[in-house]
Amino acid sequence: FTLVDTGGWLPDGVETTDPTELTKQVSRQAERAMRSADVVVLVVDAVVGITEEDDRVARMLRRSDAPVLVAVNKVDDARREHDIWQFARLGLGDPFPVSALHGRGSGDLLDAIVERLPPESEHPEAVAGAAAAMFSVAIVGRPNVGKSTLFNRLVGDERAVVHDLPGTTRDSIDTVVETPDGPIRFIDT
């Protein structure tokens, strides 16, 4: 499958330090990724809790035809496990505790992603060739929740640049991961 790590979604009207149209372009790119994905992973921050932006993207995702998983990042140890349950109120199912930085829970999340992929026979592009028939997984969420770090952890390589500065992810990077069920293409955008 293809994994798409978006640069971060912000709703229109949210003030940012970005004086250009870049924030809007990055948000539109995230929306395209959400619409084209076979599975969507919404990444949220356990330390910060639910934000208005998390609520707004969850509303969009509840209307999605694709299955949605909520990955609660920054659950670095068992003491933070209870913090994930506040994210159940987003209405997207039981959240998955992960620490993208340490890899904690990333295997369980990856298993859940693969379980939710549609059968190959249902993939609309299956007749277009092997590369086009790969499933796509989009990683979405507001800026600086750890999407690129989680992307790197899931693909098993430091493919995406990670930095504390929000908006670091600007360009797409494709990575194909071979699984027992076939290749999966991840895209970090």
Side-chain angles (χ1 to χ4, degrees):
F1 58 84
T2 302
L3 182 63
V4 180
D5 171 19
T6 63
W9 181 86
L10 288 174
D12 285 337
V14 171
E15 293 296 320
T16 68
T17 57
D18 183 359
T20 68
E21 288 288 307
L22 184 59
T23 299
K24 288 181 182 179
Q25 291 175 24
V26 170
S27 292
R28 283 193 298 270
Q29 181 188 53
E31 290 171 16
R32 281 193 303 276
M34 288 184 247
R35 285 191 301 272
S36 67
D38 295 298
V39 176
V40 176
V41 178
L42 172 60
V43 183
V44 293
D45 188 327
V47 176
V48 173
I50 295 177
T51 65
E52 179 184 340
E53 291 86 0
D54 295 333
D55 274 328
R56 289 175 76 174
V57 75
R59 278 196 300 267
M60 281 179 32
L61 291 172
R62 283 193 300 268
R63 295 188 303 265
S64 171
D65 291 332
V68 178
L69 301 171
V70 177
V72 183
N73 193 24
K74 302 181 185 177
V75 181
D76 296 332
D77 57 50
R79 292 175 296 193
R80 281 229 171 264
E81 290 264 342
H82 68 280
D83 294 339
I84 72 166
W85 295 108
Q86 67 180 305
F87 293 95
R89 98 176 159 103
L90 293 174
L92 297 170
D94 288 348
F96 287 82
V98 298
S99 171
L101 185 62
H102 302 292
R104 187 172 193 271
S106 60
D108 292 336
L109 178 62
L110 187 56
D111 288 345
I113 290 168
V114 172
E115 286 173 12
R116 285 158 179 81
L117 291 172
E120 278 189 68
S121 61
E122 293 179 19
H123 196 277
E125 299 168 347
V127 296
M134 278 188 239
F135 294 107
S136 295
V137 177
I139 297 180
V140 301
R142 61 187 170 73
N144 226 31
V145 295
K147 295 178 304 298
S148 294
T149 304
L150 183 60
F151 170 86
N152 285 342
R153 185 63 66 179
L154 291 172
V155 302
D157 194 8
E158 297 299 313
R159 298 279 310 197
V161 174
V162 176
H163 192 277
D164 289 343
L165 179 69
T168 304
T169 304
R170 306 265 173 136
D171 297 314
S172 296
I173 300 170
D174 289 25
T175 301
V176 176
V177 175
E178 292 295 330
T179 72
D181 296 320
I184 300 173
R185 191 166 131 208
F186 290 85
I187 303 171
D188 175 21
T189 61

